[in-house]
mmCIF file of all heavy atoms in Angstrom:
data_model
loop_
_atom_site.group_PDB
_atom_site.id
_atom_site.type_symbol
_atom_site.label_atom_id
_atom_site.label_comp_id
_atom_site.label_asym_id
_atom_site.label_seq_id
_atom_site.Cartn_x
_atom_site.Cartn_y
_atom_site.Cartn_z
ATOM 1 N N VAL A 9 -1.867 3.728 -30.349
ATOM 2 C CA VAL A 9 -3.183 4.198 -30.701
ATOM 3 C C VAL A 9 -4.080 3.347 -29.966
ATOM 4 O O VAL A 9 -4.373 2.186 -30.344
ATOM 5 C CB VAL A 9 -3.377 4.177 -32.288
ATOM 6 C CG1 VAL A 9 -4.724 4.822 -32.746
ATOM 7 C CG2 VAL A 9 -2.292 4.791 -33.083
ATOM 8 N N GLY A 10 -4.952 3.948 -29.166
ATOM 9 C CA GLY A 10 -5.869 3.264 -28.279
ATOM 10 C C GLY A 10 -5.556 3.104 -26.905
ATOM 11 O O GLY A 10 -4.365 2.846 -26.528
ATOM 12 N N ALA A 11 -6.483 3.482 -26.055
ATOM 13 C CA ALA A 11 -6.250 3.440 -24.563
ATOM 14 C C ALA A 11 -7.188 2.540 -23.854
ATOM 15 O O ALA A 11 -7.605 2.811 -22.757
ATOM 16 C CB ALA A 11 -6.297 4.915 -24.031
ATOM 17 N N GLY A 12 -7.502 1.487 -24.490
ATOM 18 C CA GLY A 12 -8.290 0.284 -23.762
ATOM 19 C C GLY A 12 -7.141 -0.491 -22.951
ATOM 20 O O GLY A 12 -6.118 0.037 -22.791
ATOM 21 N N LEU A 13 -7.572 -1.626 -22.623
ATOM 22 C CA LEU A 13 -6.618 -2.402 -21.753
ATOM 23 C C LEU A 13 -5.328 -2.708 -22.626
ATOM 24 O O LEU A 13 -4.186 -2.565 -22.005
ATOM 25 C CB LEU A 13 -7.274 -3.655 -21.243
ATOM 26 C CG LEU A 13 -8.224 -3.540 -20.087
ATOM 27 C CD1 LEU A 13 -8.887 -4.830 -19.749
ATOM 28 C CD2 LEU A 13 -7.414 -2.998 -18.875
ATOM 29 N N ALA A 14 -5.482 -3.126 -23.871
ATOM 30 C CA ALA A 14 -4.273 -3.367 -24.616
ATOM 31 C C ALA A 14 -3.393 -2.225 -24.775
ATOM 32 O O ALA A 14 -2.139 -2.257 -24.630
ATOM 33 C CB ALA A 14 -4.674 -3.976 -25.916
ATOM 34 N N GLY A 15 -3.946 -1.062 -25.147
ATOM 35 C CA GLY A 15 -3.175 0.175 -25.324
ATOM 36 C C GLY A 15 -2.483 0.668 -24.101
ATOM 37 O O GLY A 15 -1.311 0.983 -24.034
ATOM 38 N N LEU A 32 -2.775 7.731 -27.922
ATOM 39 C CA LEU A 32 -3.809 8.480 -28.508
ATOM 40 C C LEU A 32 -5.150 7.761 -28.420
ATOM 41 O O LEU A 32 -5.144 6.555 -28.655
ATOM 42 C CB LEU A 32 -3.652 8.734 -30.027
ATOM 43 C CG LEU A 32 -2.623 9.793 -30.415
ATOM 44 C CD1 LEU A 32 -1.380 9.124 -30.798
ATOM 45 C CD2 LEU A 32 -3.190 10.526 -31.613
ATOM 46 N N THR A 33 -6.182 8.467 -28.073
ATOM 47 C CA THR A 33 -7.499 7.838 -27.976
ATOM 48 C C THR A 33 -8.607 8.791 -28.404
ATOM 49 O O THR A 33 -8.491 9.925 -28.029
ATOM 50 C CB THR A 33 -7.710 7.297 -26.580
ATOM 51 O OG1 THR A 33 -9.056 6.957 -26.461
ATOM 52 C CG2 THR A 33 -7.295 8.193 -25.518
ATOM 53 N N LYS A 34 -9.511 8.124 -29.138
ATOM 54 C CA LYS A 34 -10.656 9.095 -29.584
ATOM 55 C C LYS A 34 -11.659 9.401 -28.487
ATOM 56 O O LYS A 34 -12.529 10.222 -28.601
ATOM 57 C CB LYS A 34 -11.244 8.507 -30.830
ATOM 58 C CG LYS A 34 -11.991 7.157 -30.709
ATOM 59 C CD LYS A 34 -12.541 6.664 -32.079
ATOM 60 C CE LYS A 34 -13.127 5.307 -32.047
ATOM 61 N NZ LYS A 34 -13.601 4.823 -33.321
ATOM 62 N N VAL A 35 -11.638 8.549 -27.409
ATOM 63 C CA VAL A 35 -12.478 8.978 -26.246
ATOM 64 C C VAL A 35 -11.600 9.011 -24.999
ATOM 65 O O VAL A 35 -10.355 8.535 -25.041
ATOM 66 C CB VAL A 35 -13.555 7.835 -26.005
ATOM 67 C CG1 VAL A 35 -14.534 7.844 -27.183
ATOM 68 C CG2 VAL A 35 -12.867 6.415 -25.799
ATOM 69 N N SER A 40 -12.945 3.756 -22.897
ATOM 70 C CA SER A 40 -12.650 2.780 -23.946
ATOM 71 C C SER A 40 -13.512 1.517 -23.702
ATOM 72 O O SER A 40 -13.992 1.367 -22.477
ATOM 73 C CB SER A 40 -11.161 2.402 -23.815
ATOM 74 O OG SER A 40 -10.328 3.458 -24.043
ATOM 75 N N HIS A 41 -13.700 0.741 -24.732
ATOM 76 C CA HIS A 41 -14.668 -0.317 -24.608
ATOM 77 C C HIS A 41 -14.297 -1.386 -23.699
ATOM 78 O O HIS A 41 -15.301 -2.221 -23.206
ATOM 79 C CB HIS A 41 -14.957 -0.852 -25.981
ATOM 80 C CG HIS A 41 -16.417 -1.594 -26.028
ATOM 81 N ND1 HIS A 41 -17.564 -0.929 -25.544
ATOM 82 C CD2 HIS A 41 -16.715 -2.675 -26.263
ATOM 83 C CE1 HIS A 41 -18.454 -1.735 -25.562
ATOM 84 N NE2 HIS A 41 -18.103 -2.886 -26.112
ATOM 85 N N SER A 42 -13.067 -1.557 -23.276
ATOM 86 C CA SER A 42 -12.764 -2.573 -22.197
ATOM 87 C C SER A 42 -13.548 -2.303 -21.056
ATOM 88 O O SER A 42 -13.809 -3.375 -20.228
ATOM 89 C CB SER A 42 -11.273 -2.415 -21.922
ATOM 90 O OG SER A 42 -10.399 -2.750 -22.966
ATOM 91 N N ALA A 44 -16.547 -2.079 -20.710
ATOM 92 C CA ALA A 44 -17.825 -2.904 -20.853
ATOM 93 C C ALA A 44 -17.741 -4.369 -20.442
ATOM 94 O O ALA A 44 -18.689 -5.151 -20.163
ATOM 95 C CB ALA A 44 -18.400 -2.803 -22.202
ATOM 96 N N ALA A 45 -16.401 -4.819 -20.285
ATOM 97 C CA ALA A 45 -16.247 -6.342 -20.021
ATOM 98 C C ALA A 45 -16.796 -6.569 -18.610
ATOM 99 O O ALA A 45 -16.464 -6.008 -17.676
ATOM 100 C CB ALA A 45 -14.734 -6.607 -20.058
ATOM 101 N N GLN A 46 -17.621 -7.543 -18.630
ATOM 102 C CA GLN A 46 -18.396 -7.838 -17.420
ATOM 103 C C GLN A 46 -17.770 -8.998 -16.625
ATOM 104 O O GLN A 46 -17.418 -8.999 -15.429
ATOM 105 C CB GLN A 46 -19.884 -8.137 -17.648
ATOM 106 C CG GLN A 46 -20.644 -7.000 -18.359
ATOM 107 C CD GLN A 46 -21.934 -7.457 -18.999
ATOM 108 O OE1 GLN A 46 -22.114 -8.538 -19.212
ATOM 109 N NE2 GLN A 46 -22.777 -6.425 -19.294
ATOM 110 N N GLY A 47 -17.695 -10.214 -17.347
ATOM 111 C CA GLY A 47 -17.575 -11.415 -16.603
ATOM 112 C C GLY A 47 -16.293 -11.801 -16.063
ATOM 113 O O GLY A 47 -16.273 -12.269 -14.782
ATOM 114 N N GLY A 48 -15.122 -11.480 -16.575
ATOM 115 C CA GLY A 48 -13.832 -11.818 -15.886
ATOM 116 C C GLY A 48 -12.746 -12.083 -16.832
ATOM 117 O O GLY A 48 -12.769 -11.862 -18.097
ATOM 118 N N TRP A 151 -8.335 12.391 -29.413
ATOM 119 C CA TRP A 151 -7.721 12.659 -30.750
ATOM 120 C C TRP A 151 -8.101 11.476 -31.618
ATOM 121 O O TRP A 151 -8.037 10.339 -31.097
ATOM 122 C CB TRP A 151 -6.169 12.716 -30.577
ATOM 123 C CG TRP A 151 -5.676 14.122 -29.991
ATOM 124 C CD1 TRP A 151 -6.029 14.718 -28.955
ATOM 125 C CD2 TRP A 151 -4.630 14.780 -30.627
ATOM 126 N NE1 TRP A 151 -5.387 15.946 -28.858
ATOM 127 C CE2 TRP A 151 -4.428 15.974 -29.849
ATOM 128 C CE3 TRP A 151 -3.720 14.712 -31.783
ATOM 129 C CZ2 TRP A 151 -3.514 16.950 -30.174
ATOM 130 C CZ3 TRP A 151 -2.807 15.628 -32.067
ATOM 131 C CH2 TRP A 151 -2.616 16.719 -31.281
ATOM 132 N N PHE A 152 -8.275 11.696 -32.891
ATOM 133 C CA PHE A 152 -8.683 10.626 -33.753
ATOM 134 C C PHE A 152 -7.702 10.424 -34.854
ATOM 135 O O PHE A 152 -7.324 11.382 -35.594
ATOM 136 C CB PHE A 152 -10.077 11.064 -34.462
ATOM 137 C CG PHE A 152 -10.555 10.014 -35.387
ATOM 138 C CD1 PHE A 152 -11.111 8.877 -35.017
ATOM 139 C CD2 PHE A 152 -10.541 10.268 -36.826
ATOM 140 C CE1 PHE A 152 -11.602 7.948 -35.887
ATOM 141 C CE2 PHE A 152 -10.928 9.245 -37.623
ATOM 142 C CZ PHE A 152 -11.459 8.093 -37.270
ATOM 143 N N VAL A 153 -7.156 9.249 -34.824
ATOM 144 C CA VAL A 153 -6.074 8.944 -35.836
ATOM 145 C C VAL A 153 -6.817 8.735 -37.171
ATOM 146 O O VAL A 153 -7.768 7.821 -37.280
ATOM 147 C CB VAL A 153 -5.328 7.728 -35.488
ATOM 148 C CG1 VAL A 153 -4.425 7.200 -36.618
ATOM 149 C CG2 VAL A 153 -4.423 8.051 -34.205
ATOM 150 N N CYS A 187 -3.912 -0.508 -30.982
ATOM 151 C CA CYS A 187 -4.680 -1.153 -30.002
ATOM 152 C C CYS A 187 -6.125 -0.556 -30.025
ATOM 153 O O CYS A 187 -6.644 -0.052 -29.072
ATOM 154 C CB CYS A 187 -4.093 -0.956 -28.574
ATOM 155 S SG CYS A 187 -2.436 -1.592 -28.415
ATOM 156 N N THR A 188 -6.638 -0.636 -31.278
ATOM 157 C CA THR A 188 -7.858 0.188 -31.518
ATOM 158 C C THR A 188 -9.175 -0.655 -31.183
ATOM 159 O O THR A 188 -10.183 -0.143 -31.572
ATOM 160 C CB THR A 188 -7.798 0.658 -32.931
ATOM 161 O OG1 THR A 188 -7.352 -0.377 -33.712
ATOM 162 C CG2 THR A 188 -6.916 1.831 -33.014
ATOM 163 N N GLY A 189 -9.070 -1.859 -30.657
ATOM 164 C CA GLY A 189 -10.268 -2.596 -30.356
ATOM 165 C C GLY A 189 -11.013 -3.216 -31.557
ATOM 166 O O GLY A 189 -10.403 -3.154 -32.661
ATOM 167 N N SER A 199 -23.219 -6.151 -29.582
ATOM 168 C CA SER A 199 -23.063 -5.769 -28.142
ATOM 169 C C SER A 199 -21.992 -4.732 -27.865
ATOM 170 O O SER A 199 -21.836 -4.247 -26.823
ATOM 171 C CB SER A 199 -22.533 -7.114 -27.440
ATOM 172 O OG SER A 199 -21.217 -7.397 -27.787
ATOM 173 N N ASN A 200 -21.305 -4.296 -28.941
ATOM 174 C CA ASN A 200 -20.202 -3.254 -28.888
ATOM 175 C C ASN A 200 -20.770 -1.835 -28.886
ATOM 176 O O ASN A 200 -21.824 -1.613 -29.495
ATOM 177 C CB ASN A 200 -19.294 -3.402 -30.057
ATOM 178 C CG ASN A 200 -18.422 -4.719 -29.979
ATOM 179 O OD1 ASN A 200 -17.494 -4.738 -30.682
ATOM 180 N ND2 ASN A 200 -18.862 -5.599 -29.170
ATOM 181 N N ASP A 207 -11.280 0.911 -36.637
ATOM 182 C CA ASP A 207 -10.389 1.879 -37.366
ATOM 183 C C ASP A 207 -9.088 1.266 -37.743
ATOM 184 O O ASP A 207 -8.467 1.424 -38.810
ATOM 185 C CB ASP A 207 -10.161 3.246 -36.605
ATOM 186 C CG ASP A 207 -11.585 3.824 -36.172
ATOM 187 O OD1 ASP A 207 -12.604 3.289 -36.567
ATOM 188 O OD2 ASP A 207 -11.487 4.853 -35.510
ATOM 189 N N GLN A 211 -6.914 0.816 -41.141
ATOM 190 C CA GLN A 211 -5.593 1.592 -41.367
ATOM 191 C C GLN A 211 -4.413 0.765 -41.632
ATOM 192 O O GLN A 211 -3.596 1.077 -42.455
ATOM 193 C CB GLN A 211 -5.454 2.543 -40.111
ATOM 194 C CG GLN A 211 -6.604 3.632 -40.139
ATOM 195 C CD GLN A 211 -6.651 4.366 -38.848
ATOM 196 O OE1 GLN A 211 -6.014 3.998 -37.879
ATOM 197 N NE2 GLN A 211 -7.505 5.472 -38.933
ATOM 198 N N LEU A 238 -25.137 -6.839 -23.785
ATOM 199 C CA LEU A 238 -24.797 -8.184 -23.353
ATOM 200 C C LEU A 238 -25.281 -8.576 -21.937
ATOM 201 O O LEU A 238 -25.230 -7.790 -21.042
ATOM 202 C CB LEU A 238 -23.259 -8.182 -23.384
ATOM 203 C CG LEU A 238 -22.656 -9.649 -23.147
ATOM 204 C CD1 LEU A 238 -22.580 -10.325 -24.494
ATOM 205 C CD2 LEU A 238 -21.271 -9.552 -22.621
ATOM 206 N N HIS A 336 -20.583 -9.877 -31.352
ATOM 207 C CA HIS A 336 -19.814 -9.536 -30.159
ATOM 208 C C HIS A 336 -18.380 -9.319 -30.282
ATOM 209 O O HIS A 336 -17.952 -8.366 -29.575
ATOM 210 C CB HIS A 336 -20.092 -10.717 -29.146
ATOM 211 C CG HIS A 336 -19.453 -10.504 -27.739
ATOM 212 N ND1 HIS A 336 -19.871 -9.416 -26.987
ATOM 213 C CD2 HIS A 336 -18.543 -11.201 -27.177
ATOM 214 C CE1 HIS A 336 -19.233 -9.561 -25.915
ATOM 215 N NE2 HIS A 336 -18.376 -10.543 -25.995
ATOM 216 N N TYR A 337 -17.649 -10.066 -30.985
ATOM 217 C CA TYR A 337 -16.157 -10.043 -30.962
ATOM 218 C C TYR A 337 -15.546 -10.467 -32.239
ATOM 219 O O TYR A 337 -16.112 -11.352 -32.973
ATOM 220 C CB TYR A 337 -15.723 -11.002 -29.841
ATOM 221 C CG TYR A 337 -14.255 -10.988 -29.552
ATOM 222 C CD1 TYR A 337 -13.651 -10.038 -28.755
ATOM 223 C CD2 TYR A 337 -13.371 -11.967 -30.141
ATOM 224 C CE1 TYR A 337 -12.313 -9.980 -28.526
ATOM 225 C CE2 TYR A 337 -12.064 -11.879 -29.870
ATOM 226 C CZ TYR A 337 -11.489 -10.949 -29.120
ATOM 227 O OH TYR A 337 -10.130 -10.925 -28.890
ATOM 228 N N GLY A 359 -4.302 -6.649 -28.511
ATOM 229 C CA GLY A 359 -5.745 -6.587 -28.109
ATOM 230 C C GLY A 359 -6.715 -7.087 -29.278
ATOM 231 O O GLY A 359 -6.283 -7.849 -30.141
ATOM 232 N N GLU A 360 -7.858 -6.611 -29.177
ATOM 233 C CA GLU A 360 -8.942 -7.143 -30.176
ATOM 234 C C GLU A 360 -8.486 -6.722 -31.587
ATOM 235 O O GLU A 360 -8.964 -7.452 -32.529
ATOM 236 C CB GLU A 360 -10.309 -6.640 -29.772
ATOM 237 C CG GLU A 360 -11.389 -7.440 -30.502
ATOM 238 C CD GLU A 360 -12.727 -7.200 -29.945
ATOM 239 O OE1 GLU A 360 -12.966 -6.784 -28.822
ATOM 240 O OE2 GLU A 360 -13.771 -7.415 -30.771
ATOM 241 N N ARG A 371 -13.439 -17.595 -29.717
ATOM 242 C CA ARG A 371 -12.829 -17.239 -28.448
ATOM 243 C C ARG A 371 -13.522 -17.793 -27.237
ATOM 244 O O ARG A 371 -14.710 -17.696 -27.247
ATOM 245 C CB ARG A 371 -12.753 -15.662 -28.387
ATOM 246 C CG ARG A 371 -12.241 -15.163 -27.060
ATOM 247 C CD ARG A 371 -12.146 -13.695 -27.035
ATOM 248 N NE ARG A 371 -13.426 -12.919 -27.004
ATOM 249 C CZ ARG A 371 -14.156 -12.625 -25.910
ATOM 250 N NH1 ARG A 371 -13.615 -12.928 -24.691
ATOM 251 N NH2 ARG A 371 -15.171 -11.972 -25.987
ATOM 252 N N ALA A 374 -13.785 -14.615 -21.513
ATOM 253 C CA ALA A 374 -12.704 -14.206 -20.413
ATOM 254 C C ALA A 374 -11.340 -14.575 -20.922
ATOM 255 O O ALA A 374 -10.370 -14.210 -20.138
ATOM 256 C CB ALA A 374 -12.984 -14.854 -19.111
ATOM 257 N N ASN A 375 -11.115 -14.830 -22.111
ATOM 258 C CA ASN A 375 -9.693 -14.974 -22.620
ATOM 259 C C ASN A 375 -9.285 -13.628 -23.354
ATOM 260 O O ASN A 375 -8.129 -13.506 -23.669
ATOM 261 C CB ASN A 375 -9.585 -16.116 -23.690
ATOM 262 C CG ASN A 375 -8.999 -17.367 -23.049
ATOM 263 O OD1 ASN A 375 -8.602 -17.407 -21.879
ATOM 264 N ND2 ASN A 375 -8.925 -18.441 -23.818
ATOM 265 N N SER A 376 -10.276 -12.840 -23.585
ATOM 266 C CA SER A 376 -9.809 -11.515 -24.340
ATOM 267 C C SER A 376 -9.193 -10.582 -23.420
ATOM 268 O O SER A 376 -8.185 -9.912 -23.891
ATOM 269 C CB SER A 376 -11.093 -10.914 -24.973
ATOM 270 O OG SER A 376 -10.755 -9.738 -25.498
ATOM 271 N N LEU A 377 -9.725 -10.318 -22.253
ATOM 272 C CA LEU A 377 -9.081 -9.424 -21.341
ATOM 273 C C LEU A 377 -7.587 -9.954 -21.140
ATOM 274 O O LEU A 377 -6.633 -9.111 -21.075
ATOM 275 C CB LEU A 377 -9.777 -9.376 -19.942
ATOM 276 C CG LEU A 377 -11.195 -8.710 -20.065
ATOM 277 C CD1 LEU A 377 -11.756 -8.468 -18.670
ATOM 278 C CD2 LEU A 377 -11.168 -7.298 -20.741
ATOM 279 N N THR A 380 -5.501 -9.006 -24.117
ATOM 280 C CA THR A 380 -5.045 -7.585 -24.156
ATOM 281 C C THR A 380 -3.813 -7.289 -23.311
ATOM 282 O O THR A 380 -2.902 -6.562 -23.700
ATOM 283 C CB THR A 380 -6.171 -6.629 -23.679
ATOM 284 O OG1 THR A 380 -6.408 -6.813 -22.353
ATOM 285 C CG2 THR A 380 -7.436 -6.794 -24.544
HETATM 286 C C1 LIG B 601 -20.254 -6.059 -23.460
HETATM 287 C C2 LIG B 601 -18.898 -6.746 -23.526
HETATM 288 C C3 LIG B 601 -18.491 -7.560 -22.454
HETATM 289 C C4 LIG B 601 -17.291 -8.281 -22.501
HETATM 290 N N1 LIG B 601 -16.885 -9.011 -21.471
HETATM 291 C C5 LIG B 601 -15.741 -9.624 -21.506
HETATM 292 C C6 LIG B 601 -15.229 -10.337 -20.312
HETATM 293 O O1 LIG B 601 -15.868 -10.440 -19.269
HETATM 294 N N2 LIG B 601 -13.973 -10.971 -20.439
HETATM 295 C C7 LIG B 601 -13.236 -10.783 -21.563
HETATM 296 O O2 LIG B 601 -12.082 -11.437 -21.508
HETATM 297 N N3 LIG B 601 -13.577 -10.105 -22.595
HETATM 298 C C8 LIG B 601 -14.820 -9.523 -22.610
HETATM 299 N N4 LIG B 601 -15.207 -8.727 -23.669
HETATM 300 C C9 LIG B 601 -14.258 -8.538 -24.690
HETATM 301 C C10 LIG B 601 -13.172 -7.430 -24.319
HETATM 302 O O3 LIG B 601 -13.864 -6.548 -23.469
HETATM 303 C C11 LIG B 601 -12.583 -6.663 -25.445
HETATM 304 O O4 LIG B 601 -12.167 -7.597 -26.409
HETATM 305 C C12 LIG B 601 -11.322 -6.010 -24.966
HETATM 306 O O5 LIG B 601 -11.665 -5.130 -23.747
HETATM 307 C C13 LIG B 601 -10.770 -5.078 -26.077
HETATM 308 O O6 LIG B 601 -9.807 -4.228 -25.491
HETATM 309 P P1 LIG B 601 -8.752 -3.398 -26.469
HETATM 310 O O7 LIG B 601 -7.879 -2.725 -25.521
HETATM 311 O O8 LIG B 601 -8.303 -4.246 -27.479
HETATM 312 O O9 LIG B 601 -9.844 -2.279 -27.084
HETATM 313 P P2 LIG B 601 -10.804 -1.235 -26.546
HETATM 314 O O10 LIG B 601 -10.921 -1.327 -25.025
HETATM 315 O O11 LIG B 601 -11.999 -1.324 -27.306
HETATM 316 O O12 LIG B 601 -10.019 0.030 -26.770
HETATM 317 C C14 LIG B 601 -9.897 0.634 -27.982
HETATM 318 C C15 LIG B 601 -9.172 1.975 -27.969
HETATM 319 O O13 LIG B 601 -8.879 2.450 -29.282
HETATM 320 C C16 LIG B 601 -9.172 3.786 -29.366
HETATM 321 N N5 LIG B 601 -9.350 4.054 -30.902
HETATM 322 C C17 LIG B 601 -10.026 3.329 -31.764
HETATM 323 N N6 LIG B 601 -9.911 3.859 -33.001
HETATM 324 C C18 LIG B 601 -9.159 4.996 -32.834
HETATM 325 C C19 LIG B 601 -8.819 6.077 -33.670
HETATM 326 N N7 LIG B 601 -9.029 6.023 -34.985
HETATM 327 N N8 LIG B 601 -8.063 7.100 -33.151
HETATM 328 C C20 LIG B 601 -7.794 7.137 -31.764
HETATM 329 N N9 LIG B 601 -8.185 6.195 -30.914
HETATM 330 C C21 LIG B 601 -8.872 5.201 -31.425
HETATM 331 C C22 LIG B 601 -10.417 3.884 -28.546
HETATM 332 O O14 LIG B 601 -10.718 5.348 -28.131
HETATM 333 C C23 LIG B 601 -10.026 3.115 -27.341
HETATM 334 O O15 LIG B 601 -9.272 3.904 -26.431
HETATM 335 C C24 LIG B 601 -16.426 -8.100 -23.673
HETATM 336 C C25 LIG B 601 -16.847 -7.339 -24.758
HETATM 337 C C26 LIG B 601 -18.069 -6.626 -24.700
HETATM 338 C C27 LIG B 601 -18.454 -5.873 -25.951
#
Side-chain angles (χ1 to χ4, degrees):
V9 186
L13 282 174
L32 278 103
T33 165
K34 62 183 176 180
V35 296
S40 299
H41 199 55
S42 295
Q46 300 167 341
W151 281 52
F152 178 77
V153 170
C187 300
T188 43
S199 68
N200 290 194
D207 308 354
Q211 289 167 351
L238 188 84
H336 180 59
Y337 182 84
E360 193 170 339
R371 171 176 72 92
N375 262 357
S376 171
L377 295 185
T380 63

